[in-house]
Amino acid sequence: MPSPARVPPRLAFLPFRGSTAIAQGLLTRAMLRGPTWQRLLPDVYVHRDALRAADHRLWCDAVALLLPAGAAIAGPSAAYLWGVDLLPRNAPVSVLLSRPARLRPHPQLAVTRSALPGSDLTCFGGLPVTTPLRTAFDLARRGPRDEALVAVDAMLHRRVVGLPALQAYADTRSRWPGLPLLREVLALAEPLSESPMETRLRLLLLDAGLPPPTAQHDVLDARGRFVGRVDLAWPALRVAVEYDGDHHRERAHFRQDVARLNALRAAGWIVLRFTADDVLRHRPRTVRLVTAALRERADERNSTAVTRPR
């Protein structure tokens, strides 16, 4: 029975350049062709036990080995490294290259060419990456509009960047492409938005011409006691809109939601709850339901004002 292949400790967990491992005498070309090592990119390998095909950080580590000087991991991949996961499954690694730099095309790479001054470049876990400000700036300039707003809201909510700092940064780059979209996104941005779908729901209602809602509003009862926090609210009308993700289907969470919803209703609030299907596939119906609730409450308030004795 053949003995297992010897694995140099420094190559056991992270991607590495095959040519470098050979030059250092750690492996031979014949060993690299064996089953112990998995080729990820040209001249980049990883130990088969360390391969996690869906791990975006692993692919960032691999891509970084091939980046020319002055290039960086950027866009959604940089946001991922900064703690904001906006990536679909098996997304390629986004990289930013200065225009003269060269990098061989590969399906696992999404390359953008743009100016990248040294002040926009930093290091994260040993990887070259665009700074949080540059990352948010780039994502805010990249359509579609709803995805740009989702990205900026998420970075603001995680406090990776601040809105005043991002606005000031954009002001210094007034001639860069994509600025009209960026300005619109910054005007719509909401740091209190807690999820991508909450952002999409808020944008849907704003685009329908409804009054801007208050995000993450604390509802108090008539005695000033806390009742609950709602995703989006029109406090003067006591109308709330909530996005229900999959976690709301868990038994314990469902029971808490029922008690909370009853308390909100007892406090005089209309609460409308929507799912991803409502936001993405039944948009007109969603808008109609919210519009009707706001109109109903506005009519009630106007009627009360008219009939109130003087």
Side-chain angles (χ1 to χ4, degrees):
M1 180 176 180
S3 59
R6 183 180 67 85
V7 180
R10 73 177 73 174
L11 306 182
F13 304 106
L14 295 174
F16 60 90
R17 293 289 295 262
S19 59
T20 302
I22 292 170
Q24 294 174 344
L26 299 175
L27 297 173
T28 66
R29 293 190 184 278
M31 294 168 70
L32 275 179
R33 289 194 292 268
T36 303
W37 310 100
Q38 178 70 44
R39 184 176 183 269
L40 299 177
L41 299 165
D43 195 36
V44 178
Y45 296 81
V46 72
H47 189 272
R48 64 186 177 189
D49 292 341
L51 177 62
R52 301 173 300 280
D55 182 357
H56 196 73
R57 174 59 195 261
L58 177 77
W59 285 103
C60 288
D61 287 331
V63 167
L65 293 170
L66 299 179
L67 292 181
I73 295 168
S77 295
Y80 177 88
L81 294 176
W82 293 121
V84 177
D85 187 358
L86 307 168
L87 295 163
R89 184 177 175 82
N90 298 323
V93 176
S94 297
V95 299
L96 188 59
L97 300 181
S98 60
R99 289 183 174 84
R102 295 183 178 275
L103 185 63
R104 184 184 302 180
H106 190 277
Q108 283 298 131
L109 286 172
V111 176
T112 300
R113 293 188 178 273
S114 175
L116 183 56
S119 58
D120 287 348
L121 185 62
T122 189
C123 189
F124 181 94
L127 305 181
V129 60
T130 51
T131 63
L133 273 174
R134 177 61 190 268
T135 302
F137 176 75
D138 286 343
L139 291 172
R141 296 183 295 135
R142 179 185 303 175
R145 184 181 65 137
D146 59 338
E147 296 301 329
L149 182 59
V150 163
V152 170
D153 273 5
M155 295 193 75
L156 293 173
H157 183 71
R158 289 294 300 268
R159 299 184 180 179
V160 177
V161 294
L163 187 56
L166 183 54
Q167 290 169 330
Y169 179 95
D171 289 341
T172 67
R173 288 156 173 77
S174 59
R175 295 181 180 272
W176 287 51
L179 264 295
L181 174 60
L182 178 140
R183 292 190 186 98
E184 184 177 3
V185 166
L186 295 187
L188 293 167
E190 175 51 79
L192 295 178
S193 186
E194 293 189 339
S195 73
M197 288 305 300
E198 185 179 317
T199 293
R200 292 188 177 97
L201 175 56
R202 180 171 58 87
L203 183 59
L204 169 63
L205 301 178
L206 291 174
D207 283 346
L210 297 181
T214 299
Q216 299 304 316
H217 177 70
D218 288 343
V219 175
L220 307 178
D221 65 14
R223 300 173 66 179
R225 295 174 300 187
F226 178 76
V227 176
R229 176 173 294 173
V230 293
D231 293 341
L232 301 170
W234 291 266
L237 299 176
R238 288 187 295 177
V239 173
V241 167
E242 303 226 88
Y243 172 72
D244 284 355
D246 289 340
H247 65 283
H248 287 271
R249 300 187 180 97
E250 299 171 2
R251 184 179 297 273
H253 208 297
F254 175 76
R255 289 173 177 168
Q256 293 172 1
D257 278 354
V258 169
R260 175 174 164 277
L261 184 60
N262 288 338
L264 288 168
R265 287 174 173 165
W269 281 70
I270 295 176
V271 182
L272 300 174
R273 304 174 70 178
F274 298 105
T275 65
D277 204 49
D278 297 313
V279 178
L280 300 176
R281 299 177 184 85
H282 301 291
R283 297 162 64 86
R285 182 181 69 189
T286 299
V287 170
R288 285 197 301 270
L289 288 170
V290 178
T291 302
L294 292 174
R295 185 178 295 125
E296 175 186 334
R297 276 300 167 85
D299 289 344
E300 290 176 2
R301 188 171 66 172
N302 292 337
S303 176
T304 301
V306 169
T307 59
R308 185 181 297 130
R310 298 187 180 186

